[in-house]
Amino acid sequence: MLDPARLLLLRELADRGTMTAAAAALGRTSSAVSQQLAVLEREAGVPLLERDGRRVRLTPEGVRLVAHARIVLGALETAERDLRAAADTPRGPVGLACFSTFAAVHVVPALVAARERFPELRVSLNELEPPEALAALRARRCDVAVRYTYDLVPEPAFAAEEFTVHPLAADPVLLALPAGSGPRDTVDLRDLADTPWIVGSREDGSAALVRAACALAGFAPRIAHAVDDYHLALRMVANGLGVALLPRLAAVAHAPAAAAVALRPPLGPELVRRIHALTLPSPASRPAVDAVLALLRPPAS
C-alpha cells in the first residue's frame, strides 16, 4: 500500500514546482524529500520523476498518481477535521484571508459574533488582496479566501474542481467626484473624457475596470495616478486631483474621507464588484468553516 506521507510529498512537489520549495513547505531537507520520493517510486513500481536539467518533473505516471493523491489526502484531511469537530459544534482554528474593505465592514463584526456565539472557534484574519489570498488557499495557509471580481474585467482562471465558490455580496461601484460637482443622480462618463483619473496599481483591478468602463463610453481615460489606498484616493479626489471609480464598501469603510467627495452612479451599465469566499472542496461537513461562511454573508437588505 502506498504511504500517505510520501503521497503528501509528491503533491507538494507538484504544487510548488521544485524539490527545494516542497521541502521548505514541509520543514524538511531536499535530500530527505528526494529519498522518500525514491521510496515512493519503488512502492508504485513505475517512474514518477524524470530529470529536466537541474530540476525534476513529474512523468505521466507521476501526474496520474498526484491526482489520486489529492483524493486520498483530501479524504484524510476531512477525516481529521471531522474527528476534531464534535457533531455540529464549530470549534478549532480557521484561517481567513480577506481584502481590507470587506474586512473592515463585514469581517470585524463577524469576528466579534464568532467570539460571542462560538467560544471554541478561533478565527484568524490575514489581510491579503485576492491574488495573494488565492495563493494562500492553494498552499493551505488559510481555510477561507475572500476575493472580488469586477463585472467588466475578466476573472482569473482556475480549474472548476480546484475551489468551491460561495457568493457573499454584490458591491456597487460609484464614481467619486470633487464635492460641488452638482446634484445629478448619474454621471455620463463621456463628460469626463478630459479629466485625470485615479486608479489602483494592479492592472487586473480598478485600472482595468476604468479602462473598460471608459471604452464603453467611447474614450480612453487619462490615467494620472496609481493609488491603492482608498483613503488617499478619496483625499486626492476631494482636492480636485482626479476622479475615481470606488466600490461602495470602500466609501463605507472610509466614511469620513468619503463625506468630502460626491459619490454618483455612472450612467450606463451598472458597475458591480462581486465578492466571493473560496474554500478547498471537501465532501464532508466542516462545521467551523461553514460557521465562518455564514457569519461573512451580509444580512439581506
Side-chain angles (χ1 to χ4, degrees):
M1 184 177 294
L2 300 178
D3 187 332
R6 297 188 184 107
L7 291 177
L8 174 62
L9 297 178
L10 188 68
R11 185 190 72 182
E12 291 300 311
L13 176 61
D15 288 347
R16 300 179 188 278
T18 68
M19 199 81 72
T20 301
L26 296 170
R28 303 194 183 188
T29 65
S30 296
S31 60
V33 172
S34 178
Q35 291 170 9
Q36 289 300 306
L37 289 177
V39 174
L40 181 61
E41 279 192 318
R42 293 197 294 271
E43 291 178 342
V46 293
L48 302 176
L49 305 172
E50 59 187 4
R51 282 287 169 188
D52 183 13
R54 299 180 63 185
R55 302 172 65 175
V56 296
R57 64 182 179 187
L58 295 172
T59 64
E61 293 83 1
V63 172
R64 292 178 64 183
L65 184 55
V66 167
H68 291 296
R70 294 190 192 282
I71 296 172
V72 171
L73 295 171
L76 290 174
E77 289 165 359
T78 297
E80 290 178 354
R81 283 194 297 266
D82 285 348
L83 289 174
R84 286 197 301 264
D88 58 352
T89 302
R91 65 177 66 197
V94 174
L96 171 62
C98 183
F99 58 96
S100 62
T101 52
F102 190 83
V105 178
H106 293 295
V107 174
V108 170
L111 294 178
V112 173
R115 182 182 61 192
E116 295 173 350
R117 293 172 55 186
F118 308 116
E120 297 180 74
L121 181 63
R122 302 189 305 278
V123 185
S124 57
L125 171 64
N126 191 6
E127 182 193 343
L128 293 175
E129 285 298 302
E132 292 74 27
L134 288 190
L137 184 59
R138 282 192 176 99
R140 296 170 179 81
R141 296 194 304 272
C142 70
D143 302 290
V144 180
V146 179
R147 69 155 190 172
Y148 60 80
T149 58
Y150 292 108
D151 280 358
L152 295 182
V153 180
E155 296 185 27
F158 55 80
E161 67 275 8
E162 187 176 8
F163 302 119
T164 301
V165 180
H166 311 267
L168 293 180
D171 187 13
V173 177
L174 305 173
L175 185 64
L177 304 162
S181 296
R184 295 173 291 178
D185 291 334
T186 59
V187 177
D188 192 333
L189 292 182
R190 290 176 294 183
D191 296 339
L192 304 173
D194 297 322
T195 303
W197 285 82
I198 303 166
V199 301
S201 63
R202 285 179 37 235
E203 283 300 316
D204 60 347
S206 66
L209 176 66
V210 167
R211 290 191 175 95
C214 292
L216 287 177
F219 69 95
R222 181 160 67 89
I223 293 177
H225 309 284
V227 173
D228 289 324
D229 184 280
Y230 284 123
H231 185 270
L232 175 58
L234 286 164
R235 291 287 300 274
M236 294 175 72
V237 171
N239 284 277
L241 297 176
V243 298
L245 288 176
L246 187 81
R248 186 170 63 187
L249 275 180
V252 175
H254 301 277
V261 306
L263 296 173
R264 303 283 186 270
L267 189 66
E270 184 181 15
L271 302 181
V272 178
R273 183 173 72 164
R274 310 284 174 182
I275 301 174
H276 304 84
L278 278 72
T279 60
L280 296 172
S282 173
S285 172
R286 298 165 296 177
V289 171
D290 290 344
V292 171
L293 291 172
L295 290 169
L296 288 179
R297 293 187 182 96
S301 55

